[in-house]
Amino acid sequence: MTKPLIFGLLALLAACAGRQSGVPSEAKPDSWVETTLRDLTLEQKVGQLIFPRAGGVFVNEDDPRMIELLQAARDGRIGGVVLFAGDPYETSAIVNRLQEASTLPLLIASDYEYGAGMRVNGATRFPRAMVLGAGGTERDIEFQAEVTAREARALGVHLLLNPVLDVNTNADNGVIGTRSFGEIPERAGRLGAAFIRRAQSLGVLATAKHFPGHGATALDSHFDLPVLRKPRKQLESVELVPFRHAIEADVAAVMPAHIAVPALDGRDDRPATLSPDILGGLLRDQLGFDGLVVSDALDMGGARKTAWDGQVAVDAVKAGIDALLVPPDPLVTYRALVRAIRSGELTEPRIEASVRRILAAKQRVDLNRRRTVNLADLSRRVASPEVQQRIEDMAERAVTVVHNRGRVLPLDGRASGRIFLIEIVDPVHRDEEPDLLARELERRASNVRRARVDAKEVSGTPGWLAAEPDERVLLVLGRMEADSRVVPEALKSSLSGESVIVASLDNPYWLAQFSDAAALVATYDDAAASKRALARAIFGEIDLTGKLPVTLSDEYPVGTGTVIPNRRMSLERVDKPKDAGFSDEGLRKVENVVRRAIESGATPGAAYLVARRGRIVLEGALGRATYEKDAPAVSSDTLYDLASLTKVVVTTTLSMIFVERGLLDLGKPVQSYLPEFRGQDKNMVLVEDLLAHSGGLLWWTELYERFEGRTPEEAKRGYIDAICELPLDYPPRSKTVYSDLGILLLGEILERITGKPLDALARDEIFAPLGMDEAMYLPPPSLLTRIAPTEVDPWRGRLVHGEVHDENAFGLGGVAPHAGLFSTARGLAPFAQMMLNGGAYNGRRLLNARTIARFTSRANLVEGSSRALGWDTPSEPSSAGLYFSSASFGHTGFTGTSLWIDPERELFAILLTNRVHPTRENRKIFDLRPAFHDAVMTAIVDVNIKRRE
């Protein structure tokens, strides 16, 4: 005898025994269930079966609906309620109010298919089920179950009206769609069972729906009665498979669908909700289910098709329904059931069998011991921010590239391209963040032009939907009503071809209409996480691994999905330099340049790193920490004082970030942020002048001497006041004079507009997102042996080792906008690669490519100046040498450091030295830098490298 058959027989025997006694297996004669049942009147027993609708929004105590609901609870005419939309505190307060009024504890149910956020504003909103079908794992669904169960209990909800176990095989199914895990029965069953087991282990009850399967229908049961015309054999091999998994997982409840299934009961005019053959013969007898059978909402058209509301309720109970959810009028339902019992149409033992199951469910979730919830727990247990990153990851793994003709995806974030975003939307389903996708694209592209088209009004192709020659069209299909899903032929024909990417944010079946487009992408959800995932996917920031969980057409069967790795958004080490276009001999010459400089006394030692096209081709270190013969050799782990590289890595980058966020306006006068910055012509100094060194400020002054002995905070206040009091050295934008003082003012502005200290901003906004673990202010003493010393400082009277070299930065405690950063060469590399990637690195986007282009191009605030915003560009002569392209940008540091980035050659070069040891008078670094960069460029062999013109 096979194992499934044995299981089926055992389940059948157990079920029959339970029904003959009328007592669920967990109920004992002396249990709370039985003692409570004995004390109930007939009317109260009937009341236990009724679960009316309840809102979760504030209502006045004199609201007629609330008065009626409270009275029903007091009279024992309801066994629970089904909660709909609301807010956390209002939802829980209403639950408590009803529980306190009710004679018996109420079983509170709600539909949390994609988390409590489906019904409760501000609670956690998980992706729709098909997202998990496309890229999720059982661990993902268990995580969703954990969070959903925790939040449900905090809100006062005990019965989850999910998971959805319908196997969606009909492209025209408008009621299930992405609520389903997909069309693979076993996968849907495994995922559903994983949710059930985990959620129920944490104190809630789960519901498997919509039995025996709503996924192959076309009509919407909210409005009509669909008929599932499938032979029994197909139902057994497809529709029923997930429900068998659920029953094996001990699911607490099953919800039948308002659909007719002739193969199961011989009728096409009766929904499963009202069918004794389906609920009794199949669900209980054959599948062995003895838990709660709860109806789908009885106010839906599919339930009310053939009888009046009171008779529907009576027929549902006769068929085997235990809990009548959302009857159109609870009082009508209650009276109809009482009449049916008194007339003999229903029996009291039949009612008692359902009451036992309902009371057993209440006992299972400890309602016999505690009914109410503590509202003070909500802020701790609902909407934990830690959950969001996992949700983002789930959304990313689901993104499916259905096809990618011509390898149009991913777009190059470094190219700063133009996008024409066309959104086909249904006003009924516009979410609370209609501009989110556009904002995400604007962070990545140089320009985003946008059109929003009402799906129900599109009848042709408006002329204004035509793309411009240099634009990439992104057509996004949002969530729509069933009658909006057929896209007009004229629109489809004009939005196909090599420049068009079509993305579906909801139902993936729509993509089959656009098979001529260059690329088709599905996200299966229109939530914020899926919109962000779509933007990341389009620009190659994430690996694309999703697979279709449903069949779109013969051309796109289930399992279709093009795997696309992320576009070199993180660095990797290359074993063969020629794979990145370098010659081995050329790279040896680079090292020889550094070696000869060390031998000539340009610096005691140096660390260097060169990368091209996302690959590190050269990384190493030569020399020693000092000129002493027994000094330790430097290595790739040696930390160097970066000096003025701090300006670009920290201060300029923060400025870019806050410009994008609208917190910083480069065109505003400095006075608008620092009112104390007053004096002749100072009203003309703009924030951008501080970055471009064109604001008229003195280049440097010994502030550290004036405020010696002050605390860092006192010194900073003194520095800013002193700089603000200084007269301008020249009229704004009349010339360029490199100025630390201007950068000090900019750092103060950044701290004021954010309310956070500079080192915290650098850590949270730059270092942590990029994984720059070895970039830091104030390195701890434990790292001292890894830090290259700098100067023997006459002012401090000692060798500067492990503390910032710049005196003004030292006076500020080592944290300053112009100096103070320490790092290894490898520690800086992610930052440089992020700049080359157009603002993204390792799946995180820090900046928009357009913003990078703005800050790294010559600012032209002063005619002929090489200065960009914060950055420098090659001048003649340049520390970048002769071969870095005109598109290059970089910066140097006084201690002997430099970083140059060439987007044209997809390359960056880092050189770190402590050339100021033992004295800053050593100026040989000015020969080393250009020689180093020239050697790097001439080592490239796969393109013709010419001198910069």
Side-chain angles (χ1 to χ4, degrees):
M1 186 178 291
T2 65
K3 186 176 180 181
L5 183 55
I6 293 172
F7 168 76
L9 288 173
L10 290 174
L12 180 58
L13 289 171
C16 290
R19 278 195 308 283
Q20 287 169 358
S21 67
V23 181
S25 58
E26 66 268 33
K28 298 178 181 179
D30 59 349
S31 69
W32 177 81
V33 172
E34 291 302 313
T35 57
T36 302
L37 179 60
R38 284 196 298 267
D39 291 337
L40 296 180
T41 65
L42 170 64
E43 290 78 8
Q44 289 173 326
K45 292 173 186 175
V46 169
Q48 285 298 297
L49 276 63
I50 300 173
F51 287 67
R53 175 190 297 265
V57 295
F58 171 80
V59 290
N60 186 274
E61 64 179 10
D62 294 327
D63 181 87
R65 292 165 298 180
M66 180 55 70
I67 291 174
E68 182 179 341
L69 199 56
L70 287 169
Q71 191 59 52
R74 294 188 191 99
D75 294 344
R77 288 190 281 107
I78 58 174
V81 297
V82 180
L83 285 172
F84 284 79
D87 299 297
Y89 286 102
E90 285 82 351
T91 293
S92 298
I94 288 170
V95 166
N96 282 352
R97 193 174 176 190
L98 289 170
Q99 293 284 21
E100 290 164 353
S102 181
T103 305
L104 289 177
L106 299 174
L107 187 67
I108 309 299
S110 197
D111 194 342
Y112 287 174
E113 290 177 18
Y114 43 90
M118 178 174 174
R119 295 298 187 204
V120 181
N121 296 327
T124 301
R125 201 276 197 200
F126 279 90
R128 295 181 185 274
M130 198 169 282
V131 171
L132 292 166
T137 64
E138 289 183 29
R139 185 65 194 95
D140 290 327
I141 198 71
E142 288 170 351
F143 177 72
Q144 179 174 337
E146 291 168 11
V147 175
T148 303
R150 180 179 69 239
E151 296 192 357
R153 289 311 302 258
L155 292 160
V157 172
H158 320 103
L159 176 60
L160 305 180
L161 301 178
N162 52 285
V164 173
L165 296 185
D166 304 300
V167 180
N168 204 89
T169 55
N170 190 335
D172 296 323
N173 191 332
V175 65
I176 302 300
T178 56
R179 298 166 66 192
S180 164
F181 291 115
E183 71 176 54
I184 304 174
E186 282 293 331
R187 180 162 174 75
R190 288 195 303 272
L191 290 173
F195 181 93
I196 290 163
R197 283 190 292 266
R198 189 62 183 135
Q200 293 188 165
S201 73
L202 295 171
V204 295
L205 307 177
T207 304
K209 67 182 186 185
H210 305 83
F211 184 81
H214 205 334
T217 60
L219 289 178
D220 188 339
S221 55
H222 288 87
F223 308 108
D224 209 334
L225 178 61
V227 180
L228 178 58
R229 300 189 185 278
K230 272 192 172 187
R232 175 68 181 254
K233 186 175 182 180
Q234 286 188 21
L235 295 173
E236 290 282 355
S237 63
V238 179
E239 273 75 10
L240 295 179
V241 170
F243 291 98
R244 289 194 181 96
H245 279 275
I247 293 169
E248 188 175 357
D250 192 32
V251 69
V254 170
M255 176 187 289
H258 296 323
I259 63 171
V261 192
L264 296 180
D265 72 351
R267 295 180 57 170
D268 61 7
D269 62 346
R270 180 170 67 181
T273 312
L274 309 182
S275 173
D277 294 322
I278 294 175
L279 301 188
L282 175 60
L283 180 59
R284 293 214 185 275
D285 293 342
Q286 296 178 38
L287 298 183
F289 178 68
D290 196 40
L292 273 176
V293 179
V294 303
S295 75
D296 205 344
L298 293 177
D299 61 358
M300 293 168 60
R304 307 169 76 185
K305 190 73 174 177
T306 59
W308 71 283
D309 295 338
Q311 189 61 47
V312 167
V314 172
D315 290 345
V317 175
K318 287 165 63 177
I321 295 291
D322 297 310
L324 301 164
L325 306 190
V326 196
D329 188 320
L331 187 57
V332 167
T333 297
Y334 168 79
R335 289 173 175 168
L337 292 176
V338 172
R339 280 196 304 270
I341 296 169
R342 289 173 176 164
S343 71
E345 187 175 4
L346 285 173
T347 66
E348 190 166 354
R350 167 66 194 91
I351 299 297
E352 288 180 349
S354 289
V355 175
R356 280 191 177 91
R357 293 190 181 97
I358 291 167
L359 293 177
K362 293 180 179 182
Q363 184 177 25
R364 188 170 171 179
V365 292
D366 291 328
L367 275 170
N368 56 316
R369 286 195 282 267
R370 181 179 179 183
R371 305 184 186 189
T372 59
V373 294
N374 184 358
L375 269 64
D377 287 345
L378 292 177
S379 61
R380 178 173 53 85
R381 297 176 62 188
V382 176
S384 170
E386 297 175 359
V387 174
Q388 190 57 41
Q389 185 53 51
R390 182 70 174 269
I391 293 173
E392 299 284 327
D393 178 59
M394 292 162 67
E396 289 177 359
R397 282 186 277 118
V399 178
T400 304
V401 178
V402 179
H403 78 222
N404 187 30
R405 297 195 179 116
R407 298 184 179 180
V408 65
L409 291 178
L411 302 183
D412 192 343
R414 294 165 293 190
S416 302
R418 292 163 57 83
I419 291 178
F420 184 19
L421 172 63
I422 303 173
E423 298 168 279
I424 308 295
V425 297
D426 188 332
V428 175
H429 293 301
R430 285 180 178 170
D431 67 11
E432 69 281 2
E433 293 184 291
D435 299 322
L436 175 62
L437 178 58
R439 290 199 304 268
E440 289 292 321
L441 294 173
E442 286 167 353
R443 293 189 60 223
R444 292 160 168 84
S446 62
N447 184 66
V448 176
R449 190 163 63 97
R450 185 182 185 196
R452 290 173 69 80
V453 183
D454 189 329
K456 294 183 178 180
E457 295 179 0
V458 173
S459 57
T461 308
W464 48 270
L465 287 183
E468 296 177 0
D470 59 344
E471 286 182 324
R472 179 76 65 182
V473 175
L474 174 60
L475 175 65
V476 175
L477 306 170
R479 189 175 175 209
M480 304 179 209
E481 293 291 298
D483 58 355
S484 303
R485 290 175 183 156
V486 178
V487 180
E489 287 297 327
L491 183 61
K492 285 190 291 185
S493 61
S494 66
L495 294 176
S496 297
E498 61 183 18
S499 67
V500 178
I501 302 165
V502 181
S504 169
L505 284 175
D506 184 44
N507 195 324
Y509 296 107
W510 307 334
L511 293 174
Q513 302 179 62
F514 292 91
S515 58
D516 291 336
L520 300 179
V521 184
T523 70
Y524 314 98
D525 201 354
D526 62 346
S530 291
K531 290 179 178 178
R532 285 189 287 267
L534 176 60
R536 292 171 186 144
I538 287 172
F539 282 91
E541 297 169 24
I542 58 176
D543 291 331
L544 299 175
T545 58
K547 300 291 183 181
L548 281 177
V550 292
T551 294
L552 306 189
S553 64
D554 291 343
E555 186 178 0
Y556 308 122
V558 63
T560 297
T562 302
V563 175
I564 303 176
N566 72 74
R567 176 173 284 190
R568 291 191 300 274
M569 290 295 172
S570 58
L571 283 163
E572 59 185 45
R573 186 72 189 235
V574 63
D575 294 327
K576 297 179 180 180
K578 67 178 182 180
D579 291 342
F582 280 86
S583 71
D584 291 324
E585 182 183 357
L587 292 176
R588 284 194 293 271
K589 289 181 179 179
V590 174
E591 292 188 309
N592 284 335
V593 167
V594 178
R595 184 176 289 108
R596 287 194 298 269
I598 292 171
E599 291 170 352
S600 72
T603 178
Y608 44 86
L609 188 147
V610 178
R612 188 174 184 226
R613 297 173 181 163
R615 298 175 174 183
I616 298 172
V617 296
L618 180 66
E619 180 183 17
L622 294 169
R624 298 184 178 276
T626 69
Y627 289 110
E628 302 296 326
K629 290 183 179 181
D630 59 350
V634 297
S635 71
S636 295
D637 291 329
T638 301
L639 290 148
Y640 285 88
D641 181 338
L642 301 186
S644 286
L645 289 189
T646 306
K647 293 182 174 74
V648 290
V649 175
V650 174
T651 311
T652 301
T653 305
L654 289 174
S655 298
M656 288 192 258
I657 290 170
F658 297 134
V659 164
E660 287 188 7
R661 294 182 190 172
L663 296 176
L664 182 67
D665 187 338
L666 300 185
K668 280 189 175 181
V670 171
Q671 282 181 357
S672 63
Y673 297 100
L674 304 176
E676 62 269 41
F677 184 68
R678 298 198 173 276
Q680 185 175 352
D681 291 338
K682 288 185 179 179
N683 63 315
M684 297 170 56
V685 181
L686 308 179
V687 175
E688 63 183 351
D689 288 316
L690 305 181
L691 285 159
H693 303 280
S694 58
L697 282 96
L698 190 68
W699 81 276
W700 189 79
T701 187
E702 294 88 347
L703 294 167
Y704 63 94
E705 290 185 344
R706 294 175 57 180
F707 298 97
E708 187 174 359
R710 308 284 182 89
T711 66
E713 190 58 39
E714 291 170 340
K716 182 169 69 172
R717 183 65 266 158
Y719 280 24
I720 298 302
D721 288 344
I723 296 170
C724 288
E725 291 170 2
L726 287 171
L728 295 183
D729 202 43
Y730 57 92
R733 291 175 295 285
S734 63
K735 60 181 178 177
T736 299
V737 176
Y738 184 81
S739 172
D740 280 0
L741 304 190
I743 301 299
L744 281 162
L745 290 184
L746 180 58
E748 176 68 12
I749 291 173
L750 296 175
E751 291 191 342
R752 290 192 187 186
I753 64 175
T754 62
K756 296 179 180 179
L758 191 69
D759 53 345
L761 289 172
R763 180 191 65 234
D764 297 342
E765 301 285 355
I766 304 170
F767 303 157
L770 296 181
M772 296 172 63
D773 298 332
E774 295 203 327
M776 67 195 79
Y777 283 103
L778 303 174
S782 60
L783 297 179
L784 190 64
T785 57
R786 289 178 51 197
I787 300 173
T790 52
E791 192 171 20
V792 177
D793 184 8
W795 175 61
R796 277 172 268 194
R798 63 177 183 271
L799 173 68
V800 176
H801 188 195
E803 58 188 358
V804 64
H805 173 260
D806 181 272
E807 294 91 344
N808 281 340
F810 177 79
L812 293 174
V815 178
H818 70 290
L821 192 60
F822 287 75
S823 182
T824 61
R826 175 64 75 97
L828 271 185
F831 172 83
Q833 189 63 42
M834 177 273 296
M835 296 294 288
L836 274 178
N837 288 346
Y841 184 81
N842 202 25
R844 298 288 298 272
R845 178 160 290 277
L846 206 68
L847 295 165
N848 185 311
R850 179 176 50 188
T851 304
I852 292 176
R854 177 186 181 186
F855 273 72
T856 58
S857 302
R858 290 192 176 187
N860 293 321
L861 297 179
V862 176
E863 186 176 355
S865 174
S866 67
R867 288 288 168 185
L869 295 176
W871 293 89
D872 200 4
T873 66
S875 55
E876 304 305 335
S878 172
S879 65
L882 300 171
Y883 298 100
F884 268 71
S885 73
S886 299
S888 302
F889 54 93
H891 211 282
T892 61
F894 187 78
T895 52
T897 60
S898 68
L899 167 63
W900 276 95
I901 301 171
D902 190 337
E904 189 173 299
R905 278 69 181 264
E906 304 176 73
L907 173 147
F908 68 83
I910 298 169
L911 177 64
L912 305 181
T913 79
N914 56 336
R915 68 94 188 175
V916 293
H917 178 80
T919 172
R920 68 185 65 190
E921 300 305 318
N922 181 356
R923 300 177 62 83
K924 293 181 180 180
I925 190 68
F926 297 104
D927 296 324
L928 169 58
R929 284 176 179 144
F932 171 77
H933 293 117
D934 284 348
V936 167
M937 280 297 181
T938 55
I940 296 174
V941 292
D942 65 341
V943 295
N944 185 21
I945 301 295
K946 297 181 180 180
R947 289 183 57 160
R948 185 175 57 253
E949 295 181 357

